[in-house]
Amino acid sequence: MTTEREMGLDFGDLEPALEDESYPLTNEELLAAHGDGEIEHAGGTVSLASVLDTQDEQSYESADEVKQSVLNMVGDEAIGRKFYSDRESNDTQIGYEDESF
């Protein structure tokens, strides 16, 4: 199944599973059912449980709320090139050098 990336994250098979879930769900219920689901990002993959494990009191009303919570909680490893911008700047002043792809 092909899914679209959302803000650099690919929920893969987890996305339809979240869409088919009955809401509201507590974080505990969500992780019991889908905690081992994987989310792909620029730095590799992470499990849903590893991203949302600190959200003990959280509850979700929809799959969109779950995905938004993941977007809010995913770590720096999900960022591609940190501090990268395709806008022209004088990065040499702060120690960055041009990279060629």
Side-chain angles (χ1 to χ4, degrees), residues 21-26 58-66:
E21 192 59 69
S22 295
Y23 294 92
L25 278 178
T26 65
Q58 180 71 35
S59 63
Y60 307 95
E61 297 295 324
S62 68
D64 288 337
E65 280 190 22
V66 173

Side-chain angles (χ1 to χ4, degrees), residues 66-79:
V66 173
K67 291 190 284 186
Q68 185 61 53
S69 189
V70 170
L71 288 168
N72 292 341
M73 297 300 297
V74 72
D76 285 349
E77 68 275 3
I79 300 171

Side-chain angles (χ1 to χ4, degrees), residues 26-72:
T26 65
N27 194 63
E28 184 178 349
E29 293 167 330
L30 174 69
L31 297 184
H34 306 287
D36 60 347
E38 292 192 338
I39 302 159
E40 183 180 334
H41 57 69
T45 60
V46 293
S47 69
L48 183 64
S50 69
V51 176
L52 298 180
D53 65 347
T54 62
Q55 302 299 300
D56 296 334
E57 302 299 318
Q58 180 71 35
S59 63
Y60 307 95
E61 297 295 324
S62 68
D64 288 337
E65 280 190 22
V66 173
K67 291 190 284 186
Q68 185 61 53
S69 189
V70 170
L71 288 168
N72 292 341

Side-chain angles (χ1 to χ4, degrees), residues 2 4 9 15 20 38 40 60-61 69 90 92 94 96:
T2 302
E4 293 182 26
L9 300 179
E15 187 162 5
D20 291 341
E38 292 192 338
E40 183 180 334
Y60 307 95
E61 297 295 324
S69 189
N90 192 358
T92 56
I94 55 176
Y96 294 112

